[in-house]
Amino acid sequence: MGTPTAPKRLERGLFITFEGPEGGGKSTQVAWLSQRLQEEGYAVVATREPGGTPLGEGIRNLLIDPQYEKMEPLTELLLFEAARVQHIQELIEPSLRAGKIVLCDRFYDSTLAYQGARSLSWPKIVHLNQICVGSCQPQLTFLLDLDYEAGRQRLAQRCQDDPSQLDRIEREQRSFFEQLRQNYLALARGERGPTESRWRLLDASQPRQEVARAIWREVLPFLESRS
Ligand code: Z5A
């Protein structure tokens, strides 16, 4: 039996984030891409926000618990950012330094899109994101764009049409979800600040395999340029 080969490491790691409204298929695509990259021999860390560390997962439970329906928008913002600081320090940066590919299901753009749909000022959110994220920036960000109706249908399937299964944020009004989708589209199109070349806007209503193929096409050049 031959000795197993060590996973391939990239010189500076590679940080890829997945964003979008609920039901867009982020978790599905993170799992697929993670498997594909590992089959190609890369060292991969698949993680999520809020979460990714024991403390972050604890904060996640607070954030999505429907019993805290009275959570203040600023409290919510600070909890997302607190979980993120822990995630970056404990998992993301050490993994990138070790040359791994980090796939993250949501990152700070979720805060801009979701908390930006609440009664918080945009500059305040941007400023807090800068403090908490610092130089830990993704090189590639996929926006899996899906309209409200399609996202809700997928969510209904997951919850087996039982509204009591919805978490605190999933219980928001339709207008909230429509606003956050517009926030995402504005970010990806560079309408809320400088145009950032890291964005890739994908139609998440396509079949899973089509979305996965589109993602792979975008990831390949990054692997080639960093190997
Ligand atoms: N949030 C925030 O407000 N601020 C922040 O800073 C951060 C997050 C970081 C928890 O996130 C909540 O926190 C979230 C945003 C907020 N609230 N909401 N709503 P989350 O990522 O855990 O929650 P989510 O985005 O709602 O997860 P999700 O509904 O599971 O979405 P997803 O990961 O994009 O989709 P999925 O699990 O891969 O797929 C959902 C279903 O659709 C599933 O049955 C799949 O089999 C199916 N699916 C997936 N792809 C397809 C395609 N292409 N066709 C058909 N069906 C598909």
Side-chain angles (χ1 to χ4, degrees):
M1 216 170 80
T3 340
T5 37
K8 288 187 245 178
R9 307 279 168 136
L10 301 177
E11 210 161 303
R12 285 158 287 140
L14 177 62
F15 187 19
I16 305 177
T17 57
F18 293 76
E19 295 285 353
E22 55 173 7
K26 300 176 305 308
S27 317
T28 305
Q29 296 301 330
V30 166
W32 278 27
L33 182 58
S34 171
Q35 192 184 335
R36 178 77 200 262
L37 288 166
Q38 288 179 70
E39 284 165 8
E40 300 280 331
Y42 291 97
V44 182
V45 172
T47 185
R48 67 173 182 180
E49 289 208 349
T53 66
L55 178 55
E57 292 293 327
I59 296 174
R60 178 190 182 90
N61 291 337
L62 291 175
L63 277 161
I64 63 175
D65 190 335
Q67 76 167 303
Y68 303 125
E69 64 173 322
K70 290 202 175 120
M71 190 179 292
E72 282 294 316
L74 184 57
T75 307
E76 182 186 66
L77 172 64
L78 293 169
L79 285 173
F80 277 116
E81 297 289 7
R84 181 161 303 130
V85 170
Q86 193 67 28
H87 195 200
I88 292 171
Q89 299 302 325
E90 196 177 321
L91 184 68
I92 299 177
E93 284 199 324
S95 303
L96 293 173
R97 278 199 297 273
K100 297 180 185 177
I101 300 174
V102 177
L103 308 179
C104 194
D105 184 342
R106 299 193 179 281
F107 194 51
Y108 70 80
D109 298 302
S110 284
T111 309
L112 292 167
Y114 278 76
Q115 282 59 62
R118 303 226 189 264
S119 56
L120 290 164
S121 88
W122 187 265
K124 188 188 273 180
I125 304 172
V126 171
H127 185 53
L128 202 58
N129 261 342
Q130 282 166 348
I131 293 170
C132 297
V133 171
S135 61
C136 184
Q137 297 290 329
Q139 279 78 50
L140 192 55
T141 299
F142 292 104
L143 172 51
L144 301 185
D145 179 51
L146 190 66
D147 68 33
Y148 174 79
E149 296 291 351
R152 277 283 134 167
Q153 271 173 25
R154 291 184 189 174
L155 193 62
Q157 281 167 7
R158 200 192 71 203
C159 298
Q160 295 166 329
D161 286 319
D162 176 2
S164 72
Q165 301 284 313
L166 295 176
D167 70 34
R168 185 182 64 86
I169 299 173
E170 290 164 347
R171 292 174 190 213
E172 284 294 339
Q173 304 287 315
R174 179 182 182 133
S175 57
F176 173 76
F177 292 104
E178 286 179 342
Q179 180 59 56
L180 74 86
R181 180 177 180 222
Q182 292 314 314
N183 289 346
Y184 267 132
L185 289 170
L187 283 166
R189 292 174 181 147
E191 294 163 8
R192 297 303 294 259
T195 313
E196 290 187 65
S197 57
R198 67 186 168 94
W199 283 98
R200 301 290 184 277
L201 175 54
L202 300 178
D203 174 4
S205 68
Q206 299 175 90
R208 294 169 181 78
Q209 293 87 340
E210 285 301 313
V211 180
R213 262 196 285 278
I215 290 174
W216 186 246
R217 272 198 300 274
E218 296 292 342
V219 170
L220 261 181
F222 282 81
L223 301 177
E224 285 158 4
S225 69
R226 282 163 180 259
S227 294

